[in-house]
Amino acid sequence: MSDQTEVILRALLATTGRAVFTVEQIHAIVNPRGTSVKQVRAYNFADGSLSQGDIAKKLKLDPGNFSRTVSRWIEAGIMFRLADNVLLHIYPVPEKLPKG
């Protein structure tokens, strides 16, 4: 796939994702208790360049727990698993939501 095609497909995914999920909804799925910035960081690392294992190692997450978390995100429709266990989110979100 050409670089331009990949950029266009990522833009389409992000645009569609924003039409379906608000930032607040993604935060509620990614970090339901609102107590772990690491969960949001892990979600944001899933930009299509890192595997699930790479993200877990980078953030020092338990691989088993992270695997269950990723499965939950995939089932919710906010993340996709690509070839070689590479993860792709629908669009990145800020670590903390603005108040109000």
Side-chain angles (χ1 to χ4, degrees), residues 14-87:
T15 302
T16 303
R18 288 178 191 274
V20 176
F21 294 101
T22 64
V23 172
E24 293 81 10
Q25 288 171 318
I26 291 177
H27 262 273
I29 295 167
V30 170
N31 190 8
R33 295 185 193 123
T35 57
S36 176
V37 173
K38 264 191 176 182
Q39 296 287 43
V40 179
R41 285 183 185 150
Y43 172 82
N44 284 334
F45 271 129
D47 63 359
S49 66
L50 297 172
S51 71
Q52 181 174 321
D54 293 337
I55 294 169
K57 283 180 193 172
K58 194 170 238 183
L59 293 173
K60 297 180 177 144
L61 300 171
D62 175 81
N65 285 339
F66 187 54
S67 179
R68 287 185 286 282
T69 298
V70 166
S71 294
R72 187 171 47 86
W73 294 344
I74 291 170
E75 287 177 23
I78 61 170
M79 183 172 287
F80 303 94
R81 188 181 314 276
L82 307 176
D84 298 326
N85 215 19
V86 171
L87 300 176

